Amino acid sequence: MNTQTRLVEVRTKILKKNDEKARALRQRFHTHGVYVVSLVSSPGSGKTLFLEKVLKRLSSKFKVAALVGDLATENDATRLARSGVPVRQIVTGTVCHLEADMVENAIDGWDLDDLDVLLIENVGNLVCPATYDLGEDYRLVLFSVTEGEDKPLKYPTIFNTADAAIITKTDLATAVEFREDIALQSVHSVRPGLPVFKVSSKTESGLDEWISALNTRYNDS
Amino acid sequence: MHELSIALQLIDQVQELAHQRNVHVVAVQIQVGELSGVVCEALQSAWELARKATSMSEVKLDIEAVEAVGYCGNCQRETEIASIQLHQCLQCGNWIERIIRGHELDIIALQVET
Ligand SMILES: [Zn+2]
């Protein structure tokens, strides 16, 4: 027997709950004057060393804290805690990305009035994090010179949702015959006009340029 | 892959909508944008898996893929883009200014029993 059916229009976001939570978080961060930066990259792009150096520099001027998303281990958080700023780990288990409620839970108990900048390191993955708003103000996508100039072409969506790209490990550029012009072409092919910074966390070259861009954004926020 | 977690959130949402409206859902129509970061085939498989142990084990998922559309400042109008790897206006070849469609991850309608 065939049953009669009809269409009911609903028009709503599939990730409505995450979007609403992210919006509420963003509002809460703004109320307390906290500027939030998130970082996404593949595993092995040098994100943790970058974060380590950035935390050290920022902590002389700002009250900084960091959240580190990881599938299992706590190594990154332990390493970052040496910088002396508050660091919390978000262990995601089998989940390959952070979601807004994980961020909300992770900041539980922190006095947001005592914070200027919060850095959130997403799980090492260039696909899944693109879909989830975490309530951040500034999303960075990192890729290293060792990953190849065409990385943006392979992961266009994450580059499309980012506010800036950072090319890391530039101290190795010559050794791996990295073609900067081609890398920039790839970035701008998937996201025309996206600001790109070139950084070596090891030699610290390029770090100041990015920090001063962050300063500008912070002051404008 | 995050398609399974998206399928689970979709099921939650549909169950809630069905409950609010007091309807029996037969199928769900959704839109998935080319730039949403979600692969339609993977989401369809994830749906088949995720619905099994729920009250929606018979509910079909109709996915409409939405192509990315941008705004070209040169042509001053909406335009198809060459590809998601190449955000150029298909009419004039200039870089597009912004994406207008392609980020969708939306529930559009429910097909329900009358
Ligand atoms: Zn054009």
Side-chain angles (χ1 to χ4, degrees):
Chain A
M1 186 191 83
N2 272 330
T3 42
Q4 297 277 344
T5 64
R6 67 190 162 95
L7 270 186
V8 180
E9 200 173 311
V10 286
R11 296 227 168 244
T12 178
K13 305 264 176 218
I14 295 176
L15 299 181
K16 186 174 159 223
K17 285 191 177 125
N18 187 76
D19 288 352
E20 283 171 354
K21 186 139 282 182
R23 210 173 304 136
L25 265 179
R26 188 171 283 117
Q27 186 61 50
R28 196 171 141 204
F29 286 133
H30 287 180
T31 306
H32 294 276
V34 183
Y35 191 77
V36 183
V37 182
S38 75
L39 290 83
V40 283
S41 78
S42 296
S45 65
K47 185 167 32 140
T48 309
L49 185 60
F50 173 78
L51 202 51
E52 202 176 328
K53 295 288 174 84
V54 163
L55 287 178
K56 197 174 290 172
R57 282 184 186 225
L58 286 179
S59 61
S60 64
K61 195 174 164 202
F62 298 104
K63 281 174 273 178
V64 207
L67 299 176
V68 185
D70 217 331
L71 292 171
T73 63
E74 300 242 358
N75 295 339
D76 285 355
T78 315
R79 182 169 148 197
L80 290 168
R82 279 190 260 132
S83 61
V85 313
V87 176
R88 278 187 187 165
Q89 184 89 2
I90 304 176
V91 178
T92 61
T94 56
V95 182
C96 51
H97 57 268
L98 293 180
E99 296 185 15
D101 62 343
M102 300 179 191
V103 172
E104 187 186 41
N105 294 337
I107 59 168
D108 187 45
W110 269 352
D111 180 4
L112 295 183
D113 286 327
D114 200 34
L115 205 56
D116 302 318
V117 179
L118 174 68
L119 290 125
I120 304 175
E121 179 186 327
N122 214 313
V123 179
N125 180 337
L126 282 180
V127 180
C128 313
T131 315
Y132 296 86
D133 185 359
L134 301 180
E136 69 267 65
D137 298 296
Y138 187 30
R139 185 183 280 190
L140 286 178
V141 57
L142 281 70
F143 71 108
S144 69
V145 299
T146 56
E147 293 171 73
E149 297 87 350
D150 60 348
K151 199 85 184 184
L153 301 179
K154 291 179 180 161
Y155 301 94
T157 301
I158 194 79
F159 282 83
N160 206 264
T161 65
D163 300 300
I166 296 192
I167 300 175
T168 59
K169 302 190 186 178
T170 54
D171 52 292
L172 300 174
T174 314
V176 298
E177 297 180 11
F178 178 75
R179 293 276 310 273
E180 187 186 312
D181 53 337
I182 297 186
L184 291 175
Q185 251 175 41
S186 310
V187 171
H188 292 136
S189 173
V190 301
R191 183 68 189 281
L194 188 72
V196 181
F197 298 89
K198 292 155 279 175
V199 168
S200 161
S201 306
K202 195 175 162 190
T203 68
E204 306 198 356
S205 103
L207 266 183
D208 285 335
E209 283 84 346
W210 182 70
I211 300 247
S212 95
L214 176 66
N215 257 311
T216 309
R217 290 189 64 117
Y218 177 86
N219 291 329
D220 291 347
S221 72
Chain B
M1 286 304 106
H2 59 317
E3 278 79 3
L4 186 58
S5 77
I6 288 168
L8 291 168
Q9 291 175 72
L10 178 56
I11 284 176
D12 271 359
Q13 280 256 50
V14 173
Q15 281 176 332
E16 209 175 295
L17 289 166
H19 183 75
Q20 281 165 7
R21 287 156 203 251
N22 195 23
V23 289
H24 183 78
V25 180
V26 180
V28 182
Q29 296 183 354
I30 64 167
Q31 281 184 342
V32 173
E34 226 182 338
L35 284 163
S36 67
V38 171
V39 180
C40 296
E41 294 74 23
L43 182 57
Q44 188 71 52
S45 314
W47 172 265
E48 313 285 326
L49 194 70
R51 68 179 181 172
K52 268 183 192 160
T54 73
S55 60
M56 309 215 304
S57 59
E58 304 287 316
V59 178
K60 282 208 220 72
L61 180 65
D62 295 329
I63 304 178
E64 182 196 341
V66 180
E67 278 187 19
V69 171
Y71 179 82
C72 174
N74 189 39
C75 300
Q76 299 199 332
R77 64 180 182 88
E78 284 186 23
T79 171
E80 281 176 72
I81 61 172
S83 78
I84 62 169
Q85 280 90 13
L86 191 61
H87 287 209
Q88 273 176 346
C89 171
L90 266 189
Q91 308 305 317
C92 71
N94 272 42
W95 295 116
I96 60 148
E97 264 180 30
R98 60 177 185 276
I99 291 289
I100 291 171
R101 281 198 294 282
H103 289 292
E104 293 79 0
L105 207 49
D106 300 334
I107 307 174
I108 301 303
L110 305 176
Q111 194 183 347
V112 304
E113 281 181 3
T114 50

